[in-house]
Amino acid sequence: MIHFNDNEIRPDGDESAKRLHKISTVIELVNSRFIEAVTPGKTLCIDETMVPFRGRVVFKQYIKGKRHKYGIKLYKLCSQEGYTCKLKIYSGKETILDSKPITTSLVLKLMNPFLDEGRHLFTGNFYTSVDLAHELIDRKTYLTGTLRKNRKHVPKAVVNRKLKKGELVSLQSNSDVIVAKWKDKRDVLFLTSRAVPEMVTIATKRGQEIQKPSSIVEYNAGKTFIDLDELLQHST
């Protein structure tokens, strides 16, 4: 029954906000301390992670691909060192007051202290969209991430293009948003506003040399920020 807020001033309307009301001041304090303690570098990553929990709470989640499948889901912004710069607890579907998609609003909230400084953000296909890329360009922030083919404004010319293994096709808008597809074992659709993707040679763990698009190489490196953070979490 422990809580840190007055029950008489619970927010109206948004059920998800009500669920976290008793600890909302602590969450705000933790985030402010995270931001004060470390200034992240130019590259950041947003993804979700799980805090293991099998007790009774209405917003407990099950995520099949996670090491701990049951728990409380967190949206986290992590730096290259695996440091959590900011987090948001998922407590149910939110009511969005503006006209932006929910995922776009979520990314902008997490990135809010770190915009307008030329940073490069990596996101998975749950978050990545052409609309988000435009929002971030307006805030002097680059975006690279994998992309779902049914997102709005994704060019059909790229999605429907038949490729042979190793081939790359891309299309750039007049606003410098690039949607590209690369054929590996299967099609990999991605978006970037950082630079036109080029095929580069990299070495595998076994010492073999293979070619991948430069944006995919950067994305794979960026996604390890969350992996490192989870590794530290499980080792403590």
Side-chain angles (χ1 to χ4, degrees), residues 8 28 30 38 73-74 79 84 103 178 194 217 226 236:
E8 300 300 320
E28 292 170 3
V30 167
V38 173
K73 183 167 73 173
L74 305 181
S79 69
T84 298
T103 51
I178 301 162
R194 181 79 168 91
V217 174
I226 292 287
T236 56

Side-chain angles (χ1 to χ4, degrees), residues 88-215:
K88 188 178 188 307
I89 300 174
Y90 176 78
S91 58
K93 188 175 180 179
E94 294 185 27
T95 301
I96 304 299
L97 300 178
D98 56 35
S99 59
K100 296 181 178 65
I102 292 175
T103 51
T104 297
S105 294
L106 172 61
V107 170
L108 292 176
K109 286 178 182 177
L110 286 172
M111 281 293 293
N112 184 45
F114 310 109
L115 296 168
D116 304 308
E117 296 176 346
R119 286 188 167 86
H120 189 182
L121 176 66
F122 298 97
T123 56
N125 62 22
F126 175 71
Y127 311 91
T128 312
S129 68
V130 174
D131 289 334
L132 175 60
H134 287 147
E135 292 278 355
L136 292 175
I137 286 172
D138 290 341
R139 301 300 303 272
K140 300 178 182 178
T141 303
Y142 301 108
L143 175 67
T144 297
T146 52
L147 185 64
R148 295 179 181 178
K149 63 182 180 181
N150 60 350
R151 293 289 194 192
K152 289 183 178 180
H153 312 305
V154 174
K156 298 297 183 183
V158 174
V159 173
N160 297 331
R161 181 75 173 270
K162 301 295 183 181
L163 301 175
K164 296 179 181 179
K165 186 174 181 180
E167 288 185 333
L168 171 70
V169 61
S170 64
L171 202 60
Q172 183 173 9
S173 72
N174 54 12
S175 56
D176 293 330
V177 175
I178 301 162
V179 174
K181 185 169 73 171
W182 169 56
K183 182 73 171 183
D184 190 22
K185 293 180 181 178
R186 59 181 181 272
D187 289 339
V188 179
L189 189 66
F190 62 96
L191 176 152
T192 184
S193 58
R194 181 79 168 91
V196 176
E198 298 178 347
M199 298 302 293
V200 296
T201 302
I202 63 168
T204 66
K205 293 180 180 179
R206 296 180 178 180
Q208 298 175 325
E209 290 190 345
I210 60 173
Q211 284 202 318
K212 287 186 176 182
S214 54
S215 300

